[in-house]
Amino acid sequence: MKITSTAVAGTLESSDVYVKVEPCDALEISIESVVYNQFAEEIEASVKNVLNEMGVESGKISINDKGAIDCVIQARVETAIKRAGGNK
Amino acid sequence: MSKLVESIKKAVELVELKDGMTISFHHHMRNGDFVLNMVMEAIAELGIKDLTVNASSVFDVHEPIIGHIKNGVVTGIECNYMGAKVGKAICEGIMEKPVVFRTHGGRPSDMEKGTSVIDVAFIAAPTADDMGNCTGKVGKSACGSMGYAFADAMNAKKVVVITDNLVQYPLNDFSISEVYVDYVVAVDQIGDPKGIVSGTTKITRDPVGLKMASYAAKVIDASGLLKDGFSFQTGAGGATLATAKYVQDMMLERGIKGSYGMGGITKYMVEMLNNGCFQALLDVQCFDLDAVESIRSNPRHMEVSATHYAGVSGKSAGVDNLDVVLLGATQVDVDFNVNVHTDSNGYIMGGSGGHSDTAAGSKLAIIIAPLSRARLPLVVDRCLCTTTPGSTIDVVVTQRGIAVNTKYGKNKELKEKLIAAKLPVCEIEDLKAMAEELCGVPKAVKLTDKVVANILYRDGTLLDTIKAVK
């Protein structure tokens, strides 16, 4: 899937994550998290898993995490990508 | 004769404050306090340095103290609670001398025992006369009880009362007597009423919070302590207030006449008093306007000093007869030790307050907290620091399970009772495992070897230290 427009998913509530995806020639992932010290690797792995599964090779992915668990991160990333997936 | 002087600066000069001395403040103005900042500014202008500030609590509103630390006016802080803003700066190592944390009971007791010496106490007083009789019950900045200020007034070498409601001598129904007071200063405003008391403290509507509250109420019920003569303390957190509501419902339904409610008082405790659940309230601090109104008008709502509330230097204290206390936690470890001093990244954002005093005194100390918060499990192998020793904690209630502390040869019977009441009893290790299954296992926080705070237990002994964050 290709990211053709800017889209967001999620909220900035505690235990949720706010995901923003934008078109970009390269793949850029930025992660900000209240539990970065404790769970940086897990968060990055969750994001990359979804990108791989959905065949996303490029795009700017911005994660602002407020302590979401992995399944929530994956769902939010998937939703943001689908919203940005050029269905218009 | 009048003790009135024209400015804080003049009072500071008259009490002969000098480099290296210790000054004290009480925190009934909470996050609305102007007095600590005003006094520190006057002191800084006079060029006095190397002071230790002993404030019963340091709030975010006291952020300017960071500047006074950096320029050498303040070189020591002693308190029972420290908000996140100053706490973060401390954990980044801005002050050479470690902060001294005490408990609400330990602070006045250390003053009375002479191990904590106060040179000058500055007392924010919502109403005072020009001889220093003062009270928190009336005035535009009314805060209700002034419980934490009694020890400062009685033990400091010099006492300055700062008020924004100067009344004619003699003030009726004073809390602190003129016999302790050296000087009185009248200012425009001692605090912002919005920060002093919250308009309303609200019961949680969060389903997780309500679930925990319902379990906690059932634990209290099953313990057998809920009977005539019942005494109770709860904080102002949403879930603990919800528990108080459930407890009140049970008491009214069964016609149980309790003896006293204690602690920081909210409108829910006032409601319980007025509904006949308690014979009296012992109030060391009012949290909302309903509590302020009640302490002003109801003789059964009594102001008590911090020593009377939780001290160890008196011959007894309110906590000694407490049946049940509900307490929070940022971390609990597998030995039931509790941390309410730091967040999970190791930064100071709290302190004992009366946590360890009430846990030690009560028959049943209940920790009520969610299994995890923002992906961080409540239960850990070892707390980043210990606020309250596990030996004084009895039960940990989460929305997913209830752990009874039988590690210290106690509570075996209580555990049986909770199981018989069909409550979801599990081991503390199970709570840790459940949270880790959901959240993953958090990486350990990196701390340095530099001690930024010493935590003193209520008897004045060193309980633990807090290290600077890497």
Side-chain angles (χ1 to χ4, degrees):
Chain A
M1 192 171 251
K2 197 165 162 43
I3 294 168
T4 57
S5 63
T6 298
V8 298
T11 70
L12 291 171
E13 296 291 317
S14 176
S15 302
D16 199 349
V17 58
Y18 183 79
V19 180
K20 186 177 183 187
V21 301
E22 295 161 88
C24 181
D25 292 338
L27 182 63
E28 287 175 21
I29 302 171
S30 70
I31 296 171
E32 211 180 299
S33 172
V34 292
V35 290
Y36 194 84
N37 294 335
Q38 291 87 354
F39 290 109
E41 285 165 27
E42 285 87 345
I43 297 166
E44 197 182 338
S46 283
V47 174
K48 284 186 172 162
N49 277 345
V50 176
L51 298 180
N52 286 341
E53 273 173 31
M54 298 178 79
V56 175
E57 284 162 0
S58 66
K60 190 176 163 199
I61 319 289
S62 310
I63 307 291
N64 189 346
D65 172 49
K66 299 294 178 189
I69 55 178
D70 285 328
C71 59
V72 173
I73 296 172
Q74 287 160 10
R76 294 302 194 195
V77 173
E78 181 180 334
T79 305
I81 291 169
K82 284 182 174 167
R83 284 175 178 165
N87 294 332
K88 278 182 246 176
Chain B
M1 179 192 180
S2 171
K3 297 174 185 170
L4 197 63
V5 296
E6 72 264 24
S7 67
I8 291 174
K9 219 172 191 172
K10 185 74 191 162
V12 171
E13 284 171 349
L14 286 167
V15 296
E16 298 178 323
L17 187 71
K18 292 198 171 56
D19 291 2
M21 284 187 169
T22 297
I23 57 176
S24 82
F25 300 90
H26 69 87
H27 73 276
H28 291 280
M29 302 289 114
R30 300 207 294 163
N31 207 38
D33 179 49
F34 292 167
V35 168
L36 189 148
N37 292 342
M38 287 193 294
V39 170
M40 292 317 301
E41 210 177 294
I43 288 171
E45 279 172 23
L46 289 167
I48 303 166
K49 302 246 172 200
D50 191 22
L51 294 174
T52 295
V53 172
N54 181 325
S56 50
S57 295
V58 175
F59 285 93
D60 284 351
V61 73
H62 300 131
E63 205 179 356
I65 204 170
I66 295 171
H68 296 303
I69 294 169
K70 287 182 178 160
N71 62 29
V73 175
V74 174
T75 53
I77 295 182
E78 306 189 3
C79 61
N80 310 337
Y81 174 98
M82 181 178 278
K85 279 190 178 161
V86 180
K88 186 158 191 288
I90 293 296
C91 288
E92 286 164 357
I94 61 158
M95 199 167 69
E96 208 39 55
K97 217 188 296 174
V99 169
V100 176
F101 275 110
R102 291 191 177 84
T103 70
H104 280 341
R107 178 179 185 270
S109 288
D110 279 358
M111 289 184 197
E112 279 149 25
K113 288 185 284 188
T115 47
S116 165
V117 176
I118 308 297
D119 294 297
V120 185
F122 293 92
I123 294 178
T127 293
D129 61 32
D130 70 341
M131 295 303 285
N133 294 299
C134 59
T135 180
K137 292 176 189 172
V138 288
K140 62 180 175 183
S141 305
C143 61
S145 175
M146 282 178 63
Y148 299 119
F150 284 78
D152 303 47
M154 293 174 177
N155 296 288
K157 293 175 191 162
K158 293 280 171 66
V159 175
V160 178
V161 163
I162 299 170
T163 187
D164 57 5
N165 184 34
L166 189 68
V167 296
Q168 199 158 12
Y169 182 88
L171 168 66
N172 299 337
D173 191 23
F174 57 83
S175 296
I176 288 170
S177 156
E178 63 179 295
V179 304
Y180 304 111
V181 180
D182 293 278
Y183 298 104
V184 177
V185 183
V187 296
D188 290 340
Q189 195 83 47
I190 59 168
D192 172 8
K194 282 199 287 279
I196 298 168
V197 282
S198 32
T200 48
T201 31
K202 281 206 185 82
I203 285 183
T204 184
R205 292 169 69 185
D206 165 35
V208 171
L210 289 172
K211 180 98 188 169
M212 296 181 325
S214 133
Y215 282 153
K218 284 174 184 158
V219 167
I220 294 169
D221 187 18
S223 73
L225 293 166
L226 193 61
K227 56 189 183 201
D228 285 348
F230 179 65
S231 58
F232 184 49
Q233 176 167 337
T234 173
T240 55
L241 288 178
T243 311
K245 174 80 174 69
Y246 292 137
V247 168
Q248 172 172 225
D249 291 346
M250 288 190 283
M251 291 179 84
L252 293 177
E253 209 177 284
R254 299 174 206 172
I256 296 167
K257 301 272 176 229
S259 59
Y260 66 98
M262 190 170 65
I265 299 296
T266 62
K267 75 167 184 176
Y268 296 99
M269 295 296 269
V270 170
E271 200 178 290
M272 290 177 85
L273 176 71
N274 292 338
N275 287 338
C277 295
F278 298 122
Q279 190 188 314
L281 294 181
L282 306 187
D283 187 341
V284 70
Q285 177 183 23
C286 297
F287 280 135
D288 55 32
L289 291 168
D290 294 71
V292 174
E293 175 54 34
S294 171
I295 199 170
R296 180 160 54 214
S297 56
N298 187 347
R300 294 192 298 139
H301 185 154
M302 301 184 294
E303 180 178 34
V304 292
S305 70
T307 313
H308 186 155
Y309 163 49
V312 293
S313 53
K315 292 182 180 170
S316 69
V319 295
D320 300 342
N321 275 312
L322 198 55
D323 284 326
V324 177
V325 64
L326 290 172
L327 297 165
T330 54
Q331 292 182 314
V332 180
D333 70 25
V334 291
D335 293 321
F336 289 87
N337 299 307
V338 178
N339 172 17
V340 291
H341 271 94
T342 71
D343 66 17
S344 301
N345 286 314
Y347 287 104
I348 293 167
M349 44 100 254
S352 175
H355 200 287
S356 45
D357 298 309
T358 51
S362 63
K363 292 194 184 77
L364 176 61
I366 302 173
I367 298 294
I368 176 166
L371 190 70
S372 68
R373 289 187 187 93
R375 203 174 178 170
L376 293 168
L378 171 72
V379 180
V380 294
D381 283 327
R382 182 64 43 210
C383 286
L384 285 170
C385 67
T386 295
T387 304
T388 298
S391 57
T392 61
I393 299 295
D394 298 296
V395 180
V396 176
V397 174
T398 74
Q399 76 274 29
R400 294 279 300 277
I402 298 168
V404 181
N405 182 3
T406 53
K407 302 220 170 189
Y408 303 83
K410 58 176 192 176
N411 294 325
K412 293 216 166 63
E413 215 177 303
L414 176 67
K415 190 173 181 178
E416 295 308 316
K417 285 177 181 168
L418 301 192
I419 292 168
K422 300 203 162 46
L423 286 163
V425 174
C426 63
E427 300 305 316
I428 190 89
E429 290 83 0
D430 297 334
L431 294 179
K432 179 171 177 276
M434 274 186 250
E436 287 179 352
E437 197 188 320
L438 267 173
C439 303
V441 181
K443 257 201 205 69
V445 171
K446 288 196 182 97
L447 300 172
T448 66
D449 286 333
K450 183 184 159 69
V451 174
V452 294
N454 288 318
I455 301 172
L456 303 190
Y457 194 50
R458 57 199 304 253
D459 61 4
T461 56
L462 182 68
L463 182 66
D464 206 349
T465 60
I466 299 174
K467 305 273 174 63
V469 175
K470 209 164 227 173

